[in-house]
Short mmCIF file of all heavy atoms in Angstrom, two decimals:
data_model
loop_
_atom_site.label_atom_id
_atom_site.label_comp_id
_atom_site.label_asym_id
_atom_site.label_seq_id
_atom_site.Cartn_x
_atom_site.Cartn_y
_atom_site.Cartn_z
N LEU E 49 40.29 -8.62 16.92
CA LEU E 49 39.39 -9.58 16.26
C LEU E 49 39.44 -9.44 14.74
O LEU E 49 39.25 -10.41 14.02
CB LEU E 49 37.95 -9.38 16.75
CG LEU E 49 37.69 -9.54 18.24
CD1 LEU E 49 36.19 -9.43 18.52
CD2 LEU E 49 38.21 -10.87 18.75
N VAL E 60 41.33 -16.64 20.01
CA VAL E 60 40.16 -16.10 19.32
C VAL E 60 39.88 -16.97 18.11
O VAL E 60 40.80 -17.32 17.35
CB VAL E 60 40.41 -14.65 18.84
CG1 VAL E 60 39.21 -14.15 18.03
CG2 VAL E 60 40.69 -13.73 20.01
N GLY E 68 45.49 -15.61 14.17
CA GLY E 68 46.94 -15.78 14.25
C GLY E 68 47.45 -16.89 13.36
O GLY E 68 48.64 -16.95 13.06
N GLN E 70 44.92 -18.43 10.80
CA GLN E 70 44.06 -18.45 9.61
C GLN E 70 43.48 -17.06 9.34
O GLN E 70 42.30 -16.90 9.05
CB GLN E 70 42.93 -19.48 9.82
CG GLN E 70 43.43 -20.91 9.99
CD GLN E 70 42.32 -21.86 10.42
OE1 GLN E 70 41.85 -21.78 11.57
NE2 GLN E 70 41.89 -22.73 9.53
N SER E 107 35.05 -8.69 -10.29
CA SER E 107 34.83 -8.04 -11.57
C SER E 107 33.79 -6.93 -11.40
O SER E 107 33.06 -6.90 -10.41
CB SER E 107 34.35 -9.05 -12.60
OG SER E 107 33.05 -9.53 -12.24
N PHE E 122 19.81 1.49 0.97
CA PHE E 122 20.70 2.50 1.52
C PHE E 122 20.64 3.82 0.75
O PHE E 122 21.46 4.71 0.98
CB PHE E 122 22.15 1.98 1.54
CG PHE E 122 22.45 1.04 2.67
CD1 PHE E 122 21.89 -0.23 2.71
CD2 PHE E 122 23.28 1.41 3.71
CE1 PHE E 122 22.16 -1.10 3.75
CE2 PHE E 122 23.55 0.55 4.75
CZ PHE E 122 22.98 -0.72 4.78
N LEU E 135 29.71 14.77 0.87
CA LEU E 135 28.56 14.15 1.53
C LEU E 135 28.43 14.63 2.97
O LEU E 135 29.42 15.02 3.60
CB LEU E 135 28.69 12.62 1.51
CG LEU E 135 28.83 11.96 0.15
CD1 LEU E 135 28.99 10.45 0.34
CD2 LEU E 135 27.66 12.26 -0.76
N ARG E 141 28.59 7.85 6.40
CA ARG E 141 28.51 6.62 7.18
C ARG E 141 27.73 5.56 6.44
O ARG E 141 28.06 4.37 6.49
CB ARG E 141 27.87 6.92 8.54
CG ARG E 141 27.91 5.76 9.50
CD ARG E 141 29.32 5.22 9.71
NE ARG E 141 30.08 5.96 10.66
CZ ARG E 141 31.40 6.06 10.65
NH1 ARG E 141 32.10 5.49 9.69
NH2 ARG E 141 32.04 6.74 11.57
N PRO E 153 30.39 -10.21 3.70
CA PRO E 153 30.93 -10.80 4.93
C PRO E 153 29.84 -11.45 5.77
O PRO E 153 28.66 -11.10 5.65
CB PRO E 153 31.53 -9.58 5.65
CG PRO E 153 30.66 -8.45 5.21
CD PRO E 153 30.34 -8.74 3.77
N THR E 162 28.19 5.81 15.07
CA THR E 162 27.39 7.03 15.03
C THR E 162 28.04 8.20 15.76
O THR E 162 27.43 9.25 15.92
CB THR E 162 25.99 6.78 15.63
OG1 THR E 162 26.13 6.41 17.01
CG2 THR E 162 25.25 5.69 14.88
N THR E 191 30.63 -1.58 18.86
CA THR E 191 31.19 -0.92 20.03
C THR E 191 30.55 0.46 20.12
O THR E 191 30.34 1.12 19.10
CB THR E 191 32.73 -0.75 19.96
OG1 THR E 191 33.08 0.28 19.03
CG2 THR E 191 33.40 -2.05 19.55
N LEU E 244 4.59 6.82 53.43
CA LEU E 244 5.80 6.14 52.95
C LEU E 244 6.70 5.65 54.08
O LEU E 244 7.79 5.15 53.82
CB LEU E 244 6.60 7.08 52.04
CG LEU E 244 5.91 7.54 50.76
CD1 LEU E 244 6.74 8.58 50.04
CD2 LEU E 244 5.61 6.36 49.84
N ALA E 257 10.43 9.79 44.76
CA ALA E 257 10.94 8.63 44.03
C ALA E 257 11.04 7.48 45.02
O ALA E 257 11.76 7.56 46.02
CB ALA E 257 12.30 8.92 43.42
N LEU E 268 -0.38 1.06 44.82
CA LEU E 268 -1.16 2.12 44.19
C LEU E 268 -2.66 1.96 44.48
O LEU E 268 -3.36 2.94 44.73
CB LEU E 268 -0.91 2.12 42.67
CG LEU E 268 0.46 2.63 42.22
CD1 LEU E 268 0.67 2.36 40.74
CD2 LEU E 268 0.61 4.12 42.53
N LYS E 295 30.58 5.52 36.95
CA LYS E 295 30.77 6.56 35.95
C LYS E 295 29.50 6.71 35.12
O LYS E 295 28.66 5.82 35.08
CB LYS E 295 31.92 6.20 35.00
CG LYS E 295 33.22 5.91 35.72
CD LYS E 295 34.20 5.26 34.79
CE LYS E 295 35.45 4.78 35.56
NZ LYS E 295 36.35 4.01 34.69
#
Side-chain angles (χ1 to χ4, degrees):
L49 301 185
V60 176
Q70 298 170 289
S107 66
F122 281 70
L135 303 178
R141 188 55 82 208
T162 62
T191 74
L244 298 174
L268 288 170
K295 305 166 188 174

